[in-house]
Amino acid sequence: MAGAFRTDSPHRPRAESCKAATDLTDPVHNAGEYSVSEISMALKRTVEDAFGFVRVRGEISGYRGPHSSGHAYFALKDDRSKIEAVIWKGNFGKLRFRPEEGMEVIATGKLTTFPGSSKYQIVIEALEPAGVGALMALLEERRRKLAAEGLFDSNRKKPIPYLPRVIGVVTSPTGAVIRDILHRLSDRFPIRVLIWPVRVQGETSAAEVAAAIAGFNALAVDGAIPRPDLLIVARGGGSLEDLWGFNEEIVVRAVAASTIPLISAVGHETDTTLIDFASDLRAPTPTGAAEMAVPVRSELVGTVGDLGRRLDGAMLRLVESRRRELRAATRALPRLDDLLAIPRRSFDELAARIGRALGANTLAHRGRLERTAGRLSPSSLERLTLRAHDRVKALGERQGRALEVHAERKRAGFARIAGRLRIEPIAQRVARGGVQIAEIERRGDRAFLRIVEKNRDRLDRAWRLAETLSYRSVLARGFALVTDAEGRTVRTASKVTSGDALTIEFQDGKIAAIAAGGAAEPRSKKAAKSKAPTQESLF
């Protein structure tokens, strides 16, 4: 490494002039002196110049995710060596996939040194898996992880609506996929389609697709933008790298969390992505997704018409069958005359017997009345009256004695109560009440005085404010208020014509005036007519 540095470096300190000549001939003393920082920076420049762009293949070791600062630190190793690596925060967000422990990758960047610990490292600017096999291994590992969380369970899948009113499509707005979907939907069953444009390839595609799915689910059912009844996530075919955005966890979790049924149509029939496992239905192609989403309208109309005709025929046959059954049942029923023969005869017999029964009943009641009248006489009524009078007299005597007993009991009760009552406690309570009333009166007077004083202060402040805002304060500063004959304020000279009656109000009074000229002319016109005679006085 010594040959890599110049001995006449400007950073090398000069030899001291006091050294002996024999010392200068010593090869040890002729070597240049470097400080630790100087040689560290020289090594850093040499390494960066020689390895400013490298591609290193190795296995990720010691990866624990990004640091709190956003940078990622780990190492790349093979079976014999190891090199430290770092991905700065700005480049880490641009990676197409996230590094994982044990993954074999190809890192693109530059070599540099870290003077603080005499180590060298690679600053990674781009990272990619080492071949399709590594991507497949990463994909399989991610599939097992998400499956273990239950995101691919069949009991989570929702049924696809037979005839959705609105379909939301998440795809690129410029590709052939959206045209194929719209064309097939138009052929089969024209329906309203909402398109959420996203990038279907690149670094931001996964985040945009996940945001589109969440955005459709966030729409209100009765909002200005209708909420779709079905979602289709579509993309054309491509390589595993091209379709990698649909294998990201953020997209798979968004599909699994969707409350709207979702059909995945990513790639061709042989292409498989992780959202195919999380979606409610997988279509082999985007066109196939459109065919699964809606039925053929003409076939549906024909089927409905055929079912309607079959229903009409079935109803006619049912009515005819019920009519035959009714006719058969009526033949087994007896005739109306046979049903009414016995009740009619019974009615006739009862009608004939009712006259005799009424006569016999009348005779029986007359005999009972005559027997009762025979037992009644004036002497019996007098006896009944006397007994009733004696009973009333006895009750009156008992009532007088009962009232005397009741009054005596009440008098004794009042005497006991009077014995317990004393004038002293009542007087004390009256005295305490008087003191309390006086205290309340004093507090009321003080409160009233405070309220009056507070209102007086508020009134004074309001009056001072009114005086400040009044136009009379402006008149006091030397201004005047001009009003016309009707009392309206004249604010501009353009509204005054010659001969108008005006009133000018000053601070100490008002004067009347007659306008002798109209509004003042602009300066340009006034300058042009400066030689013409003018009327300077307003009055």
Side-chain angles (χ1 to χ4, degrees):
M1 296 297 292
F5 307 100
R6 298 177 59 187
T7 58
D8 58 348
S9 171
H11 302 288
R12 179 174 57 85
R14 298 176 179 271
E16 297 181 1
S17 58
C18 62
K19 286 189 177 181
T22 54
D23 293 337
L24 295 175
T25 60
D26 189 348
V28 176
H29 292 87
N30 282 336
E33 296 179 359
Y34 295 90
S35 67
V36 176
S37 298
E38 289 174 349
I39 197 167
S40 296
M41 295 305 298
L43 283 170
K44 180 178 178 68
R45 289 193 298 271
T46 301
V47 172
E48 290 180 352
D49 292 342
F51 301 97
F53 180 82
V54 293
R55 285 170 59 85
V56 180
R57 180 168 182 162
E59 179 182 330
I60 295 177
S61 175
Y63 179 75
R64 297 294 182 269
H67 193 263
S68 59
S69 62
H71 312 311
Y73 301 94
F74 54 94
L76 296 177
K77 68 176 183 178
D78 55 14
D79 56 346
R80 290 178 295 177
S81 301
K82 179 180 179 181
I83 182 174
E84 298 296 328
V86 60
I87 305 177
W88 301 128
K89 179 180 179 181
N91 291 328
F92 189 82
K94 300 177 182 179
L95 296 179
R96 294 175 56 186
F97 68 95
R98 296 293 179 261
E100 296 183 7
E101 179 71 18
M103 181 188 299
E104 187 176 5
V105 296
I106 298 176
T108 303
K110 66 178 181 179
L111 291 184
T112 184
T113 64
F114 182 57
S117 60
S118 300
K119 292 182 179 180
Y120 70 95
Q121 62 186 2
I122 179 173
V123 178
I124 298 175
E125 298 178 356
L127 196 66
E128 59 187 68
V132 179
L135 278 180
M136 293 300 295
L138 176 62
L139 180 63
E140 181 61 23
E141 182 178 355
R142 186 172 295 171
R143 187 190 67 79
R144 288 196 299 267
K145 172 187 173 183
L146 297 176
E149 296 181 15
L151 300 183
F152 302 156
D153 292 347
S154 58
N155 54 5
R156 294 172 55 93
K157 300 184 182 298
K158 298 172 286 297
I160 304 300
Y162 178 72
L163 188 59
R165 294 173 299 174
V166 181
I167 296 178
V169 180
V170 180
T171 188
S172 172
T174 59
V177 171
I178 186 60
R179 291 195 297 271
D180 293 342
I181 292 176
L182 294 177
H183 179 69
R184 184 50 59 97
L185 289 176
S186 178
D187 289 344
R188 292 176 65 86
F189 201 107
I191 202 169
R192 186 170 185 179
V193 178
L194 299 179
I195 302 174
W196 196 300
V198 296
R199 292 184 180 92
V200 294
Q201 183 175 341
E203 299 174 357
T204 61
S205 65
E208 291 185 13
V209 172
I213 296 173
F216 273 131
N217 280 271
L219 292 176
V221 177
D222 53 352
I225 301 176
R227 191 171 189 262
D229 301 317
L230 178 66
L231 297 182
I232 297 177
V233 179
R235 186 204 187 281
S239 63
L240 181 60
E241 291 81 1
D242 295 338
L243 303 179
W244 189 256
F246 296 92
N247 293 319
E248 295 289 350
E249 285 192 29
I250 184 174
V251 179
V252 178
R253 296 187 185 278
V255 171
S258 175
T259 58
I260 303 175
L262 187 143
I263 299 177
S264 64
V266 178
H268 297 303
E269 188 169 1
T270 56
D271 298 325
T272 303
T273 58
L274 292 183
I275 70 166
D276 294 335
F277 300 100
S279 63
D280 300 303
L281 184 63
R282 176 183 181 270
T285 60
T287 304
E291 294 176 354
M292 294 178 179
V294 295
V296 179
R297 186 177 183 278
S298 59
E299 296 179 358
L300 183 60
V301 171
T303 302
V304 172
D306 183 53
L307 292 176
R309 290 189 295 272
R310 293 176 58 187
L311 179 62
D312 293 340
M315 289 301 298
L316 290 175
R317 290 192 297 271
L318 179 63
V319 171
E320 186 62 27
S321 175
R322 291 292 186 267
R323 185 181 290 111
R324 290 194 301 268
E325 293 175 359
L326 181 60
R327 289 173 179 173
T330 54
R331 287 195 296 267
L333 292 175
R335 292 180 302 173
L336 180 61
D337 293 338
D338 296 339
L339 291 175
L340 297 179
I342 296 177
R344 186 182 293 118
R345 183 170 181 178
S346 299
F347 178 78
D348 293 340
E349 292 178 355
L350 292 175
R353 292 167 56 189
I354 191 169
R356 296 191 300 271
L358 289 175
N361 188 37
T362 302
L363 293 175
H365 281 82
R366 180 180 296 164
R368 189 179 301 110
L369 178 60
E370 290 176 352
R371 289 192 297 274
T372 302
R375 291 197 298 273
L376 294 177
S377 62
S379 58
S380 60
L381 290 175
E382 185 178 358
R383 287 193 300 271
L384 291 175
T385 302
L386 291 175
R387 284 198 297 270
H389 183 268
D390 295 340
R391 189 179 300 109
V392 170
K393 184 178 180 180
L395 290 175
E397 294 175 354
R398 291 175 59 188
Q399 181 180 9
R401 291 193 299 271
L403 289 174
E404 291 177 359
V405 172
H406 182 69
E408 186 64 27
R409 290 178 181 175
K410 291 294 182 182
R411 189 179 295 108
F414 290 153
R416 289 194 300 271
I417 294 173
R420 292 197 301 268
L421 294 177
R422 291 181 301 170
I423 193 63
E424 292 81 3
I426 297 176
Q428 293 175 359
R429 292 179 62 184
V430 171
R432 285 197 300 270
V435 173
Q436 292 176 356
I437 291 173
E439 178 64 21
I440 291 172
E441 289 180 350
R442 288 194 296 273
R443 291 171 63 186
D445 293 340
R446 290 196 297 271
F448 179 75
L449 291 176
R450 284 197 298 272
I451 293 173
V452 171
E453 185 65 26
K454 183 176 180 182
N455 290 334
R456 182 183 293 110
D457 293 341
R458 291 176 60 189
L459 182 60
D460 292 341
R461 288 196 299 270
W463 181 253
R464 288 195 295 272
L465 180 60
E467 289 182 344
T468 303
L469 299 178
S470 174
Y471 73 95
R472 298 186 181 278
S473 62
V474 180
L475 299 180
R477 295 199 296 271
F479 294 91
L481 177 65
V482 181
T483 57
D484 57 11
E486 297 180 358
R488 294 192 297 267
T489 302
V490 179
R491 293 184 172 84
T492 59
S494 61
K495 295 183 178 180
V496 179
T497 57
S498 179
D500 287 350
L502 303 175
T503 300
I504 302 177
E505 180 179 355
F506 298 94
Q507 179 187 9
D508 54 350
K510 299 180 181 180
I511 63 173
I514 301 296
E521 295 180 348
R523 290 189 175 180
S524 59
K525 295 182 179 180
K526 192 173 183 179
K529 299 179 181 180
S530 59
K531 297 181 179 180
T534 58
Q535 188 173 0
E536 297 294 337
S537 175
L538 176 63
F539 310 107

